Amino acid sequence: MEFGEVLARRRMVRRYDGRPVGDEALERVLSAGLRAPSAGNSQGRDLLVLRTAAERARFWAATAGPGPGDAWLAGMRTAPVLVLLLADPGAYARRYAAPDKPGPDRDAGTWEVSWPDVDTGMSGLLLLLAAVEEGLGACLFGVPAAARAGVREAFAVPADRRLVAVVSLGHPAPGEVSRPSRRHRRTLADTAHAGRFGVPWGG
């Protein structure tokens, strides 16, 4: 599948048809996530994969409580796979303290941008695109701050890891992929700036 077609077909899928994701397809999707770029090639991210009904139930209990919840939550609970995207800031601190990384960026604690989170998010994007390649649906979503401690405890997440987001994976429910977006998608003309902020691309 051409990259443009992958982008065109990518939609956030919020309801799944219940079929499991095959081992080989899941392996390819997860492997794609490891190919994301990372600052200094630090590779400070982990993927915590929840596949069993018991694992998924623990996740939803920690993040949403009992009951089906609203329509969005009820749909997301049908995902057969959840992938927790975990950033490892310590990997970046260690990498940039290495002798081959001189200069002002050596102290990761002074970075204005949290590159561990950025890079982990890029892994999530590659999971979304790889899911399309496999004929699957996916959705990237966040975990409420109040629920993060419960997730850590439920899955023994080390204290030095930061939960950035979660990707749900599965076969889309009928009609789910073709559902149109309710919001206007910004165009190049109102997003890209040519040479100076405020100068529209192509203007």
Side-chain angles (χ1 to χ4, degrees):
M1 189 183 303
E2 294 293 330
F3 183 65
E5 185 182 354
V6 172
L7 287 178
R9 291 180 57 185
R10 189 198 63 75
R11 297 287 186 274
M12 291 292 190
V13 173
R14 299 169 177 84
R15 185 173 294 274
Y16 302 87
D17 69 5
R19 286 181 290 162
V21 175
D23 292 345
E24 293 183 0
L26 180 56
E27 187 89 7
R28 287 190 292 268
V29 171
L30 296 174
S31 295
L34 301 185
R35 300 186 67 182
S38 64
N41 199 23
S42 302
Q43 303 179 61
R45 73 262 165 154
D46 292 280
L47 308 177
L48 174 55
V49 186
L50 310 181
R51 299 187 71 185
T52 70
E55 291 167 347
R56 298 193 307 272
R58 287 208 311 276
F59 174 82
W60 293 119
T63 58
D70 59 16
W72 180 90
L73 181 57
M76 294 297 285
R77 286 179 184 268
T78 63
V81 178
L82 299 172
V83 183
L84 279 59
L85 306 176
L86 306 173
D88 179 6
Y92 290 75
R94 292 187 295 273
R95 177 69 186 98
Y96 277 82
D100 65 330
K101 282 291 182 185
D105 288 337
R106 291 195 66 176
D107 183 0
T110 65
W111 292 350
E112 183 178 0
V113 173
S114 175
W115 289 107
D117 295 341
V118 171
D119 295 347
T120 302
M122 285 197 278
S123 288
L125 175 59
L126 290 186
L127 292 180
L128 297 178
L129 296 177
V132 174
E133 284 273 3
E134 297 295 333
L136 300 170
C139 182
L140 187 145
F141 62 97
V143 171
R148 290 171 178 258
V151 172
R152 286 185 178 280
E153 182 178 357
F155 300 103
V157 177
D160 63 352
R161 298 301 197 273
R162 185 160 56 229
L163 176 56
V164 174
V166 182
V167 173
S168 60
L169 291 168
H171 298 275
E176 184 67 16
V177 172
S178 61
R179 184 178 60 185
S181 172
R182 296 184 179 91
R183 296 199 62 192
H184 164 72
R185 182 172 294 279
R186 295 178 68 190
T187 66
L188 279 176
D190 59 18
T191 304
H193 306 261
R196 182 182 177 87
F197 196 93
V199 179
W201 179 262

